[in-house]
């Protein structure tokens, strides 16, 4: 079995139909946020008038982001390499919208990002939460650290609550926790202490196939 097939089989064995029905629509809704769509269309409209060449580049990244979401909307896991590429497109859109008010610093310590897996949209959800709830500026950007190893992916940022309270149901993070429980015996770890907010996602690995030994 491929890595994706393995985890799909594992998930079917672990979850009930009720859990699947309840979790998946919320997962999709958390990724495709109408406000995100409208905000980026406004940015694109401004770029078309000011800089058509830059608008074309922006549209290319924007389309790539939504292709990823549509392509993997029914997948339980994706290679870490694919998710990081998706995050790169998302960060580009954030940069065009907010300038350098938010900076994502990526630290990769992974042997092979194609052989370890995460939930599709999981890292992007954590970066989106950091931007949504914390303030940043060109002169004092909010630094968001993304640290990936062979065992876990951590997204951390300084706590800088925005002056205007942002309405949030916490659905995105809760949904990630629920889905990871169905796929792994390791939980998503959420920490908020000493002015820092950190979320650590378990990395899912493809197990080596077991072959029976026959004696003649």
């Amino acid at each position: 079995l491929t890595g994706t097939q393995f985890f799909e089989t594992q998930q079917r064995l672990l979850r009930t139909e009720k859990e699947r029905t309840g979790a998946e629509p919320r997962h999709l809704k958390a990724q495709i946020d109408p406000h995100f769509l409208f905000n980026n269309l406004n940015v694109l409209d401004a770029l078309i008038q000011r800089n058509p060449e830059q608008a074309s580049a922006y549209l290319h990244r924007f389309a790539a982001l939504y292709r990823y979401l549509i392509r993997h909307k029914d997948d339980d896991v994706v290679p870490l390499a694919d998710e990081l590429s998706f995050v790169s497109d998302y960060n580009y859109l954030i940069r065009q919208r907010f300038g350098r008010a938010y900076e994502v610093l990526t630290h990769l310590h992974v042997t092979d990002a194609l052989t370890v897996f995460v939930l599709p949209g999981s890292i992007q959800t954590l970066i989106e939460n950091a931007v949504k709830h914390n303030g940043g500026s060109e002169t004092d950007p909010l630094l968001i650290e993304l640290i990936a190893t062979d065992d876990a992916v951590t997204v951390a940022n300084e706590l800088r609550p925005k002056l205007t309270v942002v309405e949030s149901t916490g659905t995105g993070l809760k949904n990630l926790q629920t889905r990871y429980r169905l796929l792994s015996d390791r939980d998503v770890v959420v920490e908020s202490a000493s002015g820092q907010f950190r979320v650590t996602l378990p990395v899912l690995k493809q197990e080596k196939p077991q072959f029976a030994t026959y004696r003649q």
Side-chain angles (χ1 to χ4, degrees), residues 81-153:
D82 290 357
E83 178 73 3
L84 291 176
S85 179
F86 168 63
V87 167
S88 177
D89 288 330
Y90 179 78
N91 290 341
Y92 176 86
L93 300 184
I94 293 297
R95 175 66 60 82
Q96 294 300 313
R97 183 179 173 193
F98 296 106
R100 295 187 176 275
Y102 298 93
E103 294 285 345
V104 179
L105 306 178
T106 302
H107 309 280
L108 296 181
H109 308 283
V110 181
T111 303
D112 186 352
L114 288 172
T115 60
V116 292
F117 301 84
V118 295
L119 271 63
S122 56
I123 300 176
Q124 176 266 334
T125 294
L126 300 182
I127 295 175
E128 182 181 37
N129 281 345
V131 172
K132 181 178 181 180
H133 295 287
N134 297 275
S137 66
E138 292 275 353
T139 57
D140 188 17
L142 180 78
L143 301 181
I144 304 170
E145 286 196 283
L146 166 57
I147 306 165
T149 70
D150 287 330
D151 294 316
V153 175

Side-chain angles (χ1 to χ4, degrees), residues 33-213:
D33 185 349
H35 292 91
F36 177 77
L37 173 63
F38 296 148
N39 289 333
N40 281 281
L41 287 177
N42 287 333
V43 173
L44 181 59
D45 180 57
L47 287 175
I48 290 173
Q49 300 178 48
R50 185 174 68 247
N51 189 329
E53 185 175 343
Q54 189 176 1
S56 178
Y58 186 93
L59 182 59
H60 177 77
R61 294 288 192 114
F62 191 44
L65 185 146
Y66 270 83
R67 277 198 303 270
Y68 179 89
L69 293 179
I70 293 171
R71 185 170 69 248
H72 294 297
K73 68 182 180 67
D74 295 321
D75 293 339
D76 296 317
V77 295
V78 293
L80 176 60
D82 290 357
E83 178 73 3
L84 291 176
S85 179
F86 168 63
V87 167
S88 177
D89 288 330
Y90 179 78
N91 290 341
Y92 176 86
L93 300 184
I94 293 297
R95 175 66 60 82
Q96 294 300 313
R97 183 179 173 193
F98 296 106
R100 295 187 176 275
Y102 298 93
E103 294 285 345
V104 179
L105 306 178
T106 302
H107 309 280
L108 296 181
H109 308 283
V110 181
T111 303
D112 186 352
L114 288 172
T115 60
V116 292
F117 301 84
V118 295
L119 271 63
S122 56
I123 300 176
Q124 176 266 334
T125 294
L126 300 182
I127 295 175
E128 182 181 37
N129 281 345
V131 172
K132 181 178 181 180
H133 295 287
N134 297 275
S137 66
E138 292 275 353
T139 57
D140 188 17
L142 180 78
L143 301 181
I144 304 170
E145 286 196 283
L146 166 57
I147 306 165
T149 70
D150 287 330
D151 294 316
V153 175
T154 298
V155 176
N157 61 272
E158 180 185 353
L159 284 172
R160 291 191 200 169
K162 290 183 175 179
L163 297 178
T164 302
V165 178
V166 178
E167 183 180 352
S168 175
T169 61
T171 301
L173 186 54
K174 290 178 182 177
N175 198 35
L176 279 180
Q177 292 173 311
T178 299
R179 290 173 63 83
Y180 264 103
R181 289 193 193 103
L182 297 172
L183 288 169
S184 172
D185 57 0
R186 298 167 58 199
D187 289 333
V188 174
V189 178
V190 181
E191 303 169 284
S192 180
S194 303
Q196 289 282 323
F197 187 77
R198 300 169 60 89
V199 180
T200 300
L201 306 174
V203 163
L204 307 173
K205 300 180 181 180
Q206 179 182 357
E207 293 185 355
K208 295 181 180 179
Q210 300 296 320
F211 297 96
T213 301

